[in-house]
Amino acid sequence: MADHTSQAEQAKSDAGYWAANVRIIVISLIIWALVSFGFGILLRPLIAGIQVGGTDLGFWFAQQGSIIVFLALIFFYAWRMNKLDREYGVEEE
């Protein structure tokens, strides 16, 4: 009976880990899509009047901002997944 309980607890822990992992991925992808596609293309006419570095904000997001946000998301994902791995006891040595 104890083995069955242990397996059930492990399955619940695994499900929690993957749910948290997928949530982080989905949030990161939404942020990236909003910044690259949203600000760089769809919302560009609305933010065209704001100047950044001698050009409008929409152009900046399309050329530089989306890349910078993407790099920040990579570092955030690595940091958050390391923390999540430690929480669930699956960290690498």
Side-chain angles (χ1 to χ4, degrees):
M1 185 72 164
D3 188 38
H4 178 65
T5 305
S6 176
Q7 288 177 349
E9 290 174 1
Q10 184 64 39
K12 186 176 179 181
S13 178
D14 291 348
Y17 175 80
W18 285 108
N21 187 357
V22 169
R23 186 173 49 249
I24 293 168
I25 291 171
V26 168
I27 290 170
S28 296
L29 286 174
I30 289 170
I31 291 169
W32 188 36
L34 179 66
V35 170
S36 63
F37 189 69
F39 291 147
I41 298 172
L42 296 178
L43 299 176
R44 184 168 182 206
L46 297 175
I47 59 177
I50 302 170
Q51 295 293 312
V52 172
T55 188
D56 68 273
L57 186 60
F59 181 78
W60 184 83
F61 269 113
Q63 297 301 313
Q64 299 294 326
S66 61
I67 297 168
I68 292 170
V69 170
F70 178 67
L71 292 173
L73 284 171
I74 290 171
F75 286 106
F76 167 76
Y77 180 78
W79 168 77
R80 186 62 183 102
M81 285 307 299
N82 284 335
K83 186 176 176 185
L84 191 66
D85 288 350
R86 284 190 301 275
E87 288 174 13
Y88 283 90
V90 294
E91 70 271 36
E92 296 178 7
E93 294 180 14

